[in-house]
């Protein structure tokens, strides 16, 4: 299994712990990858808002680079995954449109024939390795922890572009991974809602209300942590949680660590938390890691 | 086929069971819809169940409710599709609206917002002798929006409306687009001006719920994005949202990647000192943890190629 890995702008910038933990986990899982340094930003839906064809052309350029290498694309960001999937659906369902885009790319010596597969790491875990295959790599039992899932809009909607109808396991993939680690799933209504990030800089009051509502509900439901496959959700839910709590909670506190998908997987694989970048979180993961160190026992084989 | 339906009950006159789920087990044909099942419950088991419906053919828009947590038309939803292996189905009233009884919601919010966007044509000048003429092309484009059956599903599941009652919300914004994009309307610019304000197009978080749940393919979010674009074109570009979009585009254009630091500065407005300071504490904490994005962004090797692609496609407009 080898992938053209696109970390996305955020894993390379504001959430370096996602980058670190992904590398740590991939190496141990035996998933081979080649990092794509020549890809462009997917546009994150913002560029598409201004000029959809431009966004699509940039994404098709990325698809063409991977196609040339003969590798499927692996993403680690719900937003990258969703934006790429939507662009892919548009060009595959409209041959004339793909042709127009290919005309632009031809001048750069590129052409896309429509064969690149694009998958989020979360899907690779449950579809390629499979829950049982994943469990074989686990050495620590996380049943001492309760974890709430948070998907990120782009990994859930629009369901047809993401193939949720054809591959139903994707819809509950995050819960499947949490269960595989032995942790208890804290289910809550907001797990598929918006984290508020897109309007953080536009309408911060609303954005913070969303942060407080999701993290607060999960915390009240007994969660020790919330896990997300989207670094943009992480930025908002982690970075703005204390501000959101001050404005929206009677006691002014939530203190729920927000962890990245590969960090959760890494803990279950027994990788040292420092290697997974937990020290870089804004909401401290100290209590979480103390429980982990004290209670997550070795799995007997 | 065996179906298990769990219905969230609400009766203002007998509040004892309000908010609780009541389970019903039914024997139904394979083609049964959720609405058929509910009607069966009402007729055979519990005559007090409150359900609103009329056409039973996804035309009237009166049977909107949440099935397994997502807004749907009950008459368009087959039990077999939402319960593939016979799992229990949860049925609840729509969200973002007060409940009248059981599955019936009060849609006043929905209608009030619709009225707010002046959902009627406002042409200018002397009336023509016959009808106002519009091109086939423009009307064909608008058919998609005009397909709205006012069921409320998108409003029920809109994530912004859940935290901000002021938001005009997807159905009314889609309706606004219907007139903004109508060549016969004379108030395009004024409409865009109003929609550019608080509660309007820039407050949408692009969560795509409205696109996902709409039973008629109206795609409200796509109309909202189009109106952002039109508002910027019409000269309304000094809002945080417009600056955000512009800054994002220019970052990708010059570096091939997103520059988060510059994005924050541009969106807040470089001269908006209180706004800049509001971001500061978070930035300082992020810096201490060693995670603030590099100030000059990360550039990629192929950035020249990306810039050329950018210019080429932008030039096609
Ligand atoms: S995309 Fe915008 S309008 Fe549609 S449901 Fe989400 S926030 Fe509401
Ligand atoms: S836009 Fe779609 S979901 Fe919203 S009211 Fe109209 S038909 Fe219903
Ligand atoms: S009953 Fe008319 S749309 Fe469902």
């Amino acid at each position: 299994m080898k992938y053209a890995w696109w970390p996305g702008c955020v894993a390379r910038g504001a959430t370096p712990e996602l980058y670190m933990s992904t590398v740590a986990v991939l190496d141990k899982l035996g998933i081979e990858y080649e990092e794509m340094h020549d890809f462009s930003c997917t546009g994150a839906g913002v560029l598409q808002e201004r000029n959809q064809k431009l966004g699509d052309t940039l994404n098709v350029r990325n698809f063409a680079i991977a196609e040339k290498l003969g590798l499927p694309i692996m993403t680690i960001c719900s937003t990258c995954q969703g934006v790429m999937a939507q662009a892919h659906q548009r060009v595959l369902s409209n041959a004339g449109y793909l042709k127009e885009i290919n005309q632009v790319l031809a001048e750069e010596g590129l052409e896309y024939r429509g064969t690149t597969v694009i998958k989020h790491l979360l899907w690779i875990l449950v579809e390629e390795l499979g829950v049982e295959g994943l469990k074989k790599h686990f050495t620590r039992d996380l049943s001492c922890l309760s974890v709430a899932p948070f998907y990120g809009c782009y990994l859930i909607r629009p369901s047809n572009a993401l193939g949720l109808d054809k591959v139903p396991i994707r819809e509950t993939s995050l819960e499947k991974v949490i269960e595989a680690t032995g942790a208890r799933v804290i289910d809550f209504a907001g797990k598929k809602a918006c984290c508020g990030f897109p309007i953080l800089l536009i309408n911060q009051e609303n954005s913070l209300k969303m942060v407080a509502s999701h993290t607060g509900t999960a915390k009240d439901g007994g969660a020790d942590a919330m896990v997300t496959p989207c670094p943009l959700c992480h930025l908002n839910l982690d970075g703005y949680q204390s501000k959101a709590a001050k404005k929206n909670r009677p006691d002014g506190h939530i203190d729920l660590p927000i962890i990245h998908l590969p960090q959760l997987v890494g803990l279950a694989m027994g990788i040292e938390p420092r290697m997974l970048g937990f020290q870089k979180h804004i909401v401290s993961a100290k209590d979480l890691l103390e429980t982990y160190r004290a209670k997550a026992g070795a799995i007997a084989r | 086929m065996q179906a298990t339906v769990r219905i969230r009950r609400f009766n203002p006159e007998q509040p004892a069971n309000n908010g609780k789920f009541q389970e019903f087990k039914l024997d139904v044909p394979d083609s049964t819809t959720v609405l058929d099942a509910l009607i069966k419950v009402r007729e055979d088991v519990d005559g007090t169940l409150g359900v609103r419906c009329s056409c039973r053919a996804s035309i009237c828009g009166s049977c909107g409710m949440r099935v397994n947590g997502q807004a749907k038309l009950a008459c368009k939803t087959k039990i077999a599709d939402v319960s593939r292996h016979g799992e229990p189905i949860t049925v609840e009233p729509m969200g973002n609206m007060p409940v009248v009884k059981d599955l019936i919601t009060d849609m006043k919010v929905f209608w009030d917002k619709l009225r707010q966007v002046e959902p009627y044509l406002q042409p200018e000048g002397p009336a023509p002798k016959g009808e106002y003429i519009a091109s086939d092309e423009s009307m064909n484009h608008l058919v998609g929006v005009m397909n709205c059956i006012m069921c409320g599903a998108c409003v029920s599941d809109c994530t912004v409306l859940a935290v901000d009652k002021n938001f005009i919300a997807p159905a009314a914004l889609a309706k606004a687009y219907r007139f903004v994009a109508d060549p016969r309307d004379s108030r395009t610019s004024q409409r865009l001006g109003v929609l550019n304000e608080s509660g309007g197009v820039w407050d949408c978080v692009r969560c795509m719920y409205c696109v996902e749940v709409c039973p008629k393919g109206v795609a409200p979010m796509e109309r909202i994005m189009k109106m952002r674009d039109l508002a910027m074109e019409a000269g309304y570009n000094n809002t945080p949202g417009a600056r955000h979009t512009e800054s994002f585009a220019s970052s990708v254009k010059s570096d091939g990647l997103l520059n988060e630091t510059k994005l924050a500065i541009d969106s807040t407005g470089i001269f908006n000192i209180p706004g800049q300071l509001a971001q500061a504490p978070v930035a300082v904490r992020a810096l201490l943890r060693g995670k603030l994005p590099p100030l000059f962004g990360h550039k990629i090797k192929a950035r020249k190629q990306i810039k050329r692609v950018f210019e080429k496609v932008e030039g096609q407009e």
Side-chain angles (χ1 to χ4, degrees):
Chain A
M1 228 181 333
K2 186 172 178 187
Y3 293 91
W5 177 37
W6 170 237
C9 306
V10 183
R12 283 179 175 158
T15 60
E17 69 281 2
L18 171 59
Y19 188 97
M20 287 168 68
S21 54
T22 303
V23 171
V25 164
L26 290 180
D27 289 346
K28 277 193 112 174
L29 286 175
I31 298 177
E32 280 183 80
Y33 59 89
E34 188 176 328
E35 186 173 340
M36 294 294 105
H37 292 284
D38 282 351
F39 271 28
S40 72
C41 173
T42 64
V46 180
L47 192 60
Q48 284 73 1
E49 209 172 276
R50 207 186 75 163
N51 188 333
Q52 187 170 82
K53 187 171 178 194
L54 175 56
D56 288 347
T57 308
L58 291 177
N59 281 301
V60 172
R61 179 182 162 278
N62 293 342
F63 304 157
I65 293 172
E67 190 175 62
K68 222 175 185 176
L69 294 168
L71 298 175
I73 296 174
M74 169 169 60
T75 63
I76 52 169
C77 167
S78 296
T79 306
C80 289
Q81 179 64 38
V83 171
M84 283 189 175
Q86 288 175 36
H88 209 223
Q89 189 190 38
R90 277 192 291 272
V91 295
L92 290 194
S93 62
N94 185 344
Y97 186 47
L98 177 58
K99 204 170 155 200
E100 274 175 40
I101 288 177
N102 268 331
Q103 272 159 10
V104 176
L105 296 179
E107 290 169 32
E108 307 296 338
L110 287 166
E111 190 202 354
Y112 185 52
R113 286 174 289 117
T115 65
T116 301
V117 171
I118 312 146
K119 282 194 179 182
H120 192 289
L121 171 63
L122 175 61
W123 297 351
I124 294 173
L125 296 183
V126 297
E127 291 169 28
E128 310 290 332
L129 274 113
V131 172
E132 291 311 314
L134 184 60
K135 276 187 179 169
K136 288 195 189 121
H137 294 274
F138 291 169
T139 59
R140 302 283 293 262
D141 171 15
L142 303 191
S143 55
C144 55
L145 299 175
S146 296
V147 180
F150 196 87
Y151 280 89
C153 300
Y154 279 88
L155 210 53
I156 293 292
R157 294 173 294 276
S159 56
N160 55 358
L162 294 159
L164 302 191
D165 39 349
K166 293 192 197 80
V167 196
I169 196 173
R170 289 180 183 174
E171 227 169 328
T172 53
S173 47
L174 202 47
E175 286 91 332
K176 293 266 176 347
V177 173
I178 299 173
E179 280 165 12
T181 67
R184 186 162 71 105
V185 177
I186 301 295
D187 203 0
F188 72 111
K191 69 183 174 188
K192 293 180 178 176
C194 174
C195 67
F197 181 78
I199 52 166
L200 173 64
L201 302 169
I202 299 169
N203 186 333
Q204 192 161 102
E205 194 183 326
N206 284 354
S207 182
L208 295 182
K209 277 187 194 158
M210 291 178 187
V211 172
S213 160
H214 304 319
T215 55
T217 311
K219 179 88 184 188
D220 294 345
D224 300 307
M226 179 179 273
V227 63
T228 178
C230 182
L232 293 169
C233 294
H234 183 275
L235 276 185
N236 215 32
L237 298 173
D238 178 50
Y240 286 82
Q241 192 185 115
S242 73
K243 197 169 178 183
K246 277 193 197 89
K247 293 207 167 160
N248 296 288
R249 292 273 282 201
D251 67 351
H253 281 282
I254 297 174
D255 305 324
L256 180 70
I258 310 297
I259 65 178
H260 299 280
L261 170 71
Q263 287 180 316
L264 177 70
V265 173
L267 286 181
M269 291 170 75
I271 300 173
E272 176 49 34
R274 254 206 119 67
M275 300 291 293
L276 298 170
F278 278 100
Q279 65 282 8
K280 294 195 183 287
H281 289 208
I282 306 276
V283 175
S284 167
K286 199 166 152 264
D287 292 351
L288 175 76
L289 295 177
E290 260 167 34
T291 312
Y292 170 73
R293 288 208 171 92
K295 295 191 186 153
I299 295 174
R301 294 250 185 246
Chain B
M1 176 172 96
Q2 267 277 325
T4 309
V5 187
R6 303 180 66 235
I7 305 172
R8 197 192 278 278
R9 304 300 305 258
F10 182 89
N11 182 348
E13 283 159 12
Q14 285 164 353
N17 287 326
N18 282 2
K20 293 195 186 128
F21 282 99
Q22 194 180 353
E23 194 169 291
F24 298 90
K25 287 201 189 310
L26 307 165
D27 219 355
V28 291
D30 286 358
S31 60
T32 302
T33 64
V34 172
L35 182 60
D36 295 334
L38 295 172
I39 291 173
K40 194 169 158 70
V41 168
R42 193 177 61 187
E43 285 181 357
D44 300 351
V45 193
D46 181 351
T48 70
L49 180 68
V51 192
R52 180 167 50 205
C53 64
S54 175
C55 71
R56 302 174 71 169
S58 55
I59 298 166
C60 72
S62 52
C63 67
M65 60 188 73
R66 276 184 176 158
V67 179
N68 290 345
Q70 189 165 306
K72 291 189 182 297
L73 290 180
C75 70
K76 201 186 174 214
T77 307
K78 286 219 183 95
I79 298 231
D81 292 337
V82 286
S83 163
R84 287 186 208 182
H85 311 289
E87 314 88 323
I89 299 163
T90 62
V91 186
E92 300 165 89
M94 289 195 285
N96 286 330
M97 292 168 239
V99 181
V100 177
K101 185 166 184 255
D102 294 329
L103 304 171
I104 304 169
T105 47
D106 178 356
M107 291 189 56
K108 183 173 184 300
V109 179
F110 181 95
W111 301 116
D112 284 352
K113 292 191 181 293
L114 208 63
R115 262 180 226 112
Q116 198 185 330
V117 302
E118 305 186 355
Y120 39 84
L121 201 62
Q122 300 183 47
E124 208 177 42
K129 283 227 174 61
E131 56 274 275
Y132 284 93
I133 307 284
S135 71
D136 281 356
E137 199 192 6
S138 59
M139 285 297 116
N140 280 336
H141 171 65
L142 286 178
V143 168
V145 204
M146 291 194 275
N147 278 342
C148 173
I149 56 171
M150 321 257 176
C151 67
C154 57
V155 169
S156 156
D157 287 11
C158 173
T159 44
V160 169
L161 190 61
V163 298
D164 185 358
K165 298 296 156 223
N166 182 40
F167 185 45
I168 302 174
L173 286 169
K175 185 60 79 188
Y177 178 75
R178 186 246 167 278
F179 293 100
V180 161
D182 190 316
R184 300 164 298 177
D185 196 82
S186 68
R187 293 183 48 83
T188 312
S189 174
Q190 290 93 326
R191 288 181 191 273
L192 287 169
V194 174
L195 295 167
N196 201 46
E197 280 165 20
S198 156
V201 293
W202 294 105
D203 280 343
C204 163
V205 288
R206 289 187 279 120
C207 71
M208 294 174 278
Y209 256 111
C210 53
V211 179
E212 184 73 27
V213 302
C214 174
K216 291 287 161 183
V218 172
M221 185 189 88
E222 283 166 29
R223 320 295 174 175
I224 296 169
M225 294 310 122
K226 187 71 197 153
M227 288 192 288
R228 286 185 179 179
D229 210 22
L230 292 172
M232 284 195 280
E233 269 172 34
Y236 299 105
N237 38 27
N238 200 21
T239 56
R243 285 197 299 266
H244 185 262
T245 307
E246 281 307 317
S247 170
F248 195 108
S250 78
S251 169
V252 178
K253 184 173 181 176
S254 65
D255 301 346
L257 296 176
L258 172 59
N259 180 335
E260 297 104 341
T261 313
K262 191 164 167 299
L263 190 63
I265 295 173
D266 289 351
S267 310
T268 317
I270 193 85
F271 298 116
N272 177 359
I273 307 294
Q276 292 287 351
L277 286 178
Q279 306 292 344
V282 176
V284 170
R285 249 176 303 144
L287 193 64
L288 289 175
R289 305 271 178 170
K291 63 186 301 182
L292 202 68
L295 199 55
F296 298 103
H298 15 222
K299 297 189 179 175
I300 71 168
K301 275 188 276 163
R303 64 181 185 274
K304 285 203 179 110
Q305 187 180 72
I306 290 160
K307 197 165 175 208
R308 282 196 299 271
V309 169
F310 225 101
E311 278 160 3
K312 184 97 200 288
V313 181
E314 277 190 321
Q316 290 176 347
E317 291 250 288

